[in-house]
Amino acid sequence: VATWMMMRRGSQVDFVHFTLECSQSEHALGVAHALRQQWGSGPSPIFWRIDFQPIREALLEHVHSRFRQVVLKQLMVATADALADRLGIHALITGDSVGQVSSQTLSHLAAIDRYCNRALIRPLAGMLKEEIIDWSRRIGTASISERAKEVCDLSDGPVAVFARWSRLEEAHKSLPPEVITDALNLMDAVALDDWMPGLPFVKVLSEPPSDRPTVTADKVNETEGPIAVAGRHAARAASRLATEGRDVLIVLRPEKRFWEEPNP
């Protein structure tokens, strides 16, 4: 519903899904595909899929149960923020509704915002859960969403609703420092206009591979055999090639934050 509200204002969107259980990825992809088919226009959105299972395991091992939900959301936002840097995207959109769950109290939403370096927009912030469900029926995604189950609950007891930021900071420091970088190295993607059941996602790398040439999207038809595609338009080009049976990878290098001026 949050995505649809941005789409109706003319915003182009990509989708980011953090995988904690494989079956939920199919539901998320189904919702994204339905939105694109019924309401989308312009270039095909990219569905970025990031394996968060290692982060889930790190949270269970290192972070107290009371704080896991908020720290998980902070890590999701931080990872999406890093991806947005690479893509030149100016804002993140989430479906948070104030007070709906423990990680969505105003205190915790503010704590989550600290891990985002661009606009973080919450179109549903003031809506009730029943209103959000009604909107999902109007836009045609309710039947898919209803089949999904909750997999983000990592707590094994009471959870904090007004955790001190210092305690959340301590929780972060207990995690391995490379968790976000490692998550971005467990990412693949597909363009929604290309997707069909059974189509494999395309693996995303942070650096060019040594076993194949790396080309930009406008040069893909000039190179035969396995290739890697680099640049901001790489995902759409690589996804199209994958539908044709090409052996293809995406290279999405870390870049300077989009708002920073280059050195003179």
Side-chain angles (χ1 to χ4, degrees):
V1 177
T3 303
W4 177 80
M5 286 187 168
M6 300 306 299
M7 291 171 66
R8 72 173 180 173
R9 299 303 301 156
S11 297
Q12 293 186 12
V13 299
D14 276 2
F15 295 84
V16 183
H17 176 69
F18 301 97
T19 303
L20 294 170
E21 186 176 301
C22 293
S23 62
Q24 301 311 99
S25 294
E26 294 302 315
H27 288 113
L29 184 55
V31 169
H33 191 258
L35 284 172
R36 171 62 177 177
Q37 292 298 306
Q38 297 179 50
W39 303 101
S41 61
S44 174
I46 304 301
F47 187 95
W48 305 92
R49 185 174 63 180
I50 302 175
D51 185 356
F52 247 45
Q53 186 61 27
I55 284 182
R56 178 182 184 276
E57 294 170 359
L59 288 169
L60 292 174
E61 179 178 355
H62 297 288
V63 176
H64 192 284
S65 173
R66 284 172 51 81
F67 308 121
R68 287 174 192 157
Q69 300 304 110
V70 183
V71 177
L72 174 63
K73 294 290 184 67
Q74 288 175 324
L75 292 171
M76 287 178 171
V77 164
T79 305
D81 189 67
L83 174 59
D85 269 343
R86 300 184 184 191
L87 298 170
I89 289 175
H90 291 74
L92 302 184
I93 314 301
T94 75
D96 297 312
S97 173
V98 173
Q100 190 171 113
V101 294
S102 63
S103 63
Q104 294 176 17
T105 63
L106 284 176
S107 174
H108 285 170
L109 291 176
I112 291 167
D113 283 2
R114 299 178 70 200
Y115 289 81
C116 185
N117 291 303
R118 67 210 69 235
L120 203 164
I121 302 172
R122 297 182 172 94
L124 313 183
M127 296 178 66
L128 301 175
K129 183 175 182 178
E130 292 75 16
E131 294 174 309
I132 298 170
I133 293 172
D134 285 344
W135 273 109
S136 71
R137 293 191 181 104
R138 296 186 196 184
I139 64 178
T141 61
S143 61
I144 304 172
S145 299
E146 287 168 355
R147 295 197 295 269
K149 66 179 181 178
E150 174 62 55
V151 296
C152 291
D153 187 357
L154 308 184
S155 63
D156 52 18
V159 296
V161 293
F162 299 106
R164 293 181 180 179
W165 288 7
S166 60
R167 298 295 301 274
L168 297 174
E169 188 69 23
E170 290 174 7
H172 271 272
K173 290 180 179 178
S174 71
L175 293 167
E178 65 279 359
V179 288
I180 292 175
T181 301
D182 288 349
L184 288 170
N185 289 328
L186 296 173
M187 177 167 58
D188 50 21
V190 66
L192 287 180
D193 286 359
D194 296 326
W195 178 79
M196 63 185 69
L199 179 71
F201 279 57
V202 182
K203 175 67 178 173
V204 180
L205 305 179
S206 297
E207 297 294 337
S210 59
D211 63 344
R212 64 187 68 198
T214 299
V215 300
T216 55
D218 59 329
K219 303 291 185 182
V220 295
N221 293 324
E222 301 176 10
T223 308
E224 297 182 353
I227 61 170
V229 188
R232 291 183 179 177
H233 303 292
R236 290 188 183 89
S239 181
R240 176 177 56 81
L241 292 175
T243 66
E244 300 170 0
R246 290 284 297 273
D247 183 354
V248 61
L249 299 169
I250 299 166
V251 177
L252 201 60
R253 293 186 179 187
E255 296 180 1
K256 186 183 291 292
R257 290 171 177 168
F258 73 89
W259 66 84
E260 293 177 350
E261 294 294 332
N263 293 327

